[in-house]
Every structure is written in C-alpha cells, then in structure tokens.
C-alpha cells in the first residue's frame, strides 16, 4: 500500500471536510466490496504460494516424508500436513 496525498487527488472541499475529523494522520480507505483484491493477487505472492503448495503435494505423493518436506521447504511439519490435507 502506498501513501497518496489527499490534497492531490481529492477536491479541496472534501479535504477540508475530512480535516474536521482527522489531520496529519494516515487514513485507510477500503476498496468497495465487489472490487476487493484477494491477498497476494497484485504482487503475485498468492500464485507463488499456490505453486509451492502444489510442489509439496506432488513430492508427498511421490513418496517424500513430511519431515523431508519440512526441511526442504523450510516449513514446520504442522504446516506441511496442513498443506497436504487441504489439497
């Protein structure tokens, strides 16, 4: 999330109205419900995690143990089991 100066993007009247409630602070304005992005959608992190989880499942089905996967992927055995059983 990046910082945007309200005075640059909002009408002066709206900035003055907002200043009645908050000044010199950060204000988070959430996306509309139907326009909300899923975590990691914009950065590609979600895609990378899904690929990693698929790789873990494939390795497990090919015979790798939970402990081996834990060491290979630097995750706890609990996390590995969770990934395997949710797929």
């Amino acid at each position: 999330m990046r910082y945007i100066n309200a005075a640059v993007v909002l009408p002066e009247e709206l900035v003055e109205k907002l200043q009645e409630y908050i000044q010199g602070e950060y204000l988070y304005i959430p996306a509309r419900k139907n326009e909300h992005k899923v975590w990691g959608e914009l950065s590609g992190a979600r895609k990378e995690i899904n690929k990693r989880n698929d790789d873990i499942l494939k390795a497990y089905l090919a015979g790798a143990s939970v402990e081996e996967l834990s060491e290979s992927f630097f995750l706890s055995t609990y996390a590995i089991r969770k990934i395997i059983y949710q797929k």
Side-chain angles (χ1 to χ4, degrees), residues 22-84:
I22 186 170
Q23 293 185 46
E25 302 288 336
Y26 293 107
L27 177 65
Y28 173 74
I29 301 172
R32 294 180 184 129
K33 289 187 181 197
N34 58 347
E35 296 177 16
H36 182 73
K37 303 286 185 203
V38 176
W39 177 88
E41 185 177 348
L42 295 176
S43 69
R46 171 61 49 205
K47 190 182 216 180
E48 289 178 30
I49 289 173
N50 286 339
K51 183 187 178 323
R52 181 207 63 190
N53 292 352
D54 289 343
D55 292 344
I56 289 171
L57 182 59
K58 286 177 189 173
Y60 178 76
L61 294 174
S65 71
V66 171
E67 289 75 17
E68 290 170 337
L69 294 170
S70 175
E71 290 179 24
S72 296
F73 288 93
F74 304 100
L75 295 170
S76 69
T77 56
Y78 173 79
I80 296 293
R81 285 189 186 96
K82 198 167 139 184
I83 291 165
I84 291 168

